[in-house]
């Protein structure tokens, strides 16, 4: 975790006086983002393949109560992964210039904290599903940490006051 924190500090840290949009642009251009994006999208594909293949076959062999728990866990897993994928795609849009860093700062793009969980909802769930849930939760928590560092902890852009801007220009003109 220490290595992760130092990588986050480099690309997604709010340095004093450093505007939020600059933090967002730096992160979007970083190797940390590239690795996180790749890992997130690979996990989305892996989970989709599992749920559509082996997971579907495994779920048909479960008892009624376990099948209900399986459906609930798989829906929660899919929702979590889609939220994370959406967040990653916003960061990629900033990286590729399809979205401004300022637009990416909008509250609608923030990740929500996960509700704390102790154990899977049923003891007889397939181990592969539980492994995917754990991996997705870890990756989501990492993305949530990055999101908070970049968008919540970083300084907001100071709004430009047009009157003060004009007064500064006039003062500079008369100083010369």
């Amino acid at each position: 975790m220490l290595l992760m924190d130092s990588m986050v500090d480099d690309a997604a840290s709010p340095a004093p006086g450093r505007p939020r949009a600059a933090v967002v642009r730096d992160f979007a251009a970083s190797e940390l983002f590239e690795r996180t994006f790749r890992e997130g999208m690979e996990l989305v594909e892996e989970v989709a393949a599992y749920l559509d293949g082996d997971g579907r076959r495994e779920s048909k062999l479960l008892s009624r109560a376990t099948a209900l728990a399986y459906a609930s866990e798989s829906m929660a897993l899919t929702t979590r992964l889609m939220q994370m994928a959406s967040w990653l795609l916003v960061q990629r849009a900033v990286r590729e210039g399809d979205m401004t860093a300022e637009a990416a700062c909008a509250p609608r793009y923030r990740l929500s904290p996960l509700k704390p969980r102790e154990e899977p909802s049923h003891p007889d769930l397939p181990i592969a599903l539980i492994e995917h849930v754990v991996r997705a939760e870890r990756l989501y928590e990492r993305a949530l940490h990055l999101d908070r560092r970049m968008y919540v902890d970083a300084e907001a852009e100071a709004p430009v006051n047009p009157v003060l801007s004009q007064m500064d220009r006039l003062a500079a003109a008369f100083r010369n």
Side-chain angles (χ1 to χ4, degrees):
M1 190 62 170
L2 252 154
L3 179 61
M4 176 62 192
D5 286 341
S6 70
M7 288 188 292
V8 170
D9 288 340
D10 292 344
S13 245
R18 191 165 172 230
R20 183 176 298 149
V23 173
V24 172
R25 280 189 294 274
D26 288 350
F27 172 70
S30 73
E31 176 62 30
L32 175 60
F33 166 71
E34 187 62 38
R35 284 193 314 268
T36 306
F37 183 84
R38 195 172 335 120
E39 185 179 349
M41 293 306 162
E42 286 172 1
L43 185 57
V44 167
E45 289 178 17
E46 191 177 316
V47 168
Y50 167 76
L51 292 174
D52 199 36
D54 291 344
R56 184 176 302 220
R57 285 187 289 283
E58 290 173 348
S59 70
K60 290 178 181 177
L61 303 174
L62 300 174
S63 70
R64 184 175 181 84
T66 308
L68 182 60
Y70 178 93
S72 175
E73 290 288 342
S74 63
M75 285 189 337
L77 173 61
T78 303
T79 300
R80 187 172 309 115
L81 286 173
M82 290 302 102
Q83 289 170 340
M84 187 183 52
S86 176
W87 184 84
L88 288 168
L89 289 170
V90 166
Q91 310 319 306
R92 187 176 76 173
V94 170
R95 179 183 204 153
E96 294 178 356
D98 295 332
M99 174 184 257
T100 66
E102 293 78 10
C105 292
R108 69 177 177 216
Y109 298 119
R110 302 292 55 81
L111 289 173
S112 301
L114 290 176
K115 293 178 182 152
R117 291 176 17 126
E118 302 278 323
E119 297 178 17
S121 59
H122 197 282
D124 295 330
L125 288 172
I127 191 69
L129 177 67
I130 293 169
E131 287 172 352
H132 287 305
V133 167
V134 168
R135 285 178 57 207
E137 284 178 358
R138 282 190 199 139
L139 190 57
Y140 188 94
E141 286 294 338
R142 196 165 68 204
L144 180 63
H145 178 73
L146 291 166
D147 183 74
R148 295 298 177 256
R149 295 286 302 251
M150 293 185 323
Y151 296 103
V152 177
D153 296 344
E155 290 185 23
E157 303 279 339
V160 177
N161 183 326
V163 173
L164 289 178
S165 175
Q166 290 298 319
M167 290 181 70
D168 289 342
R169 292 174 78 188
L170 284 170
F174 286 113
R175 268 188 249 138
N176 295 332

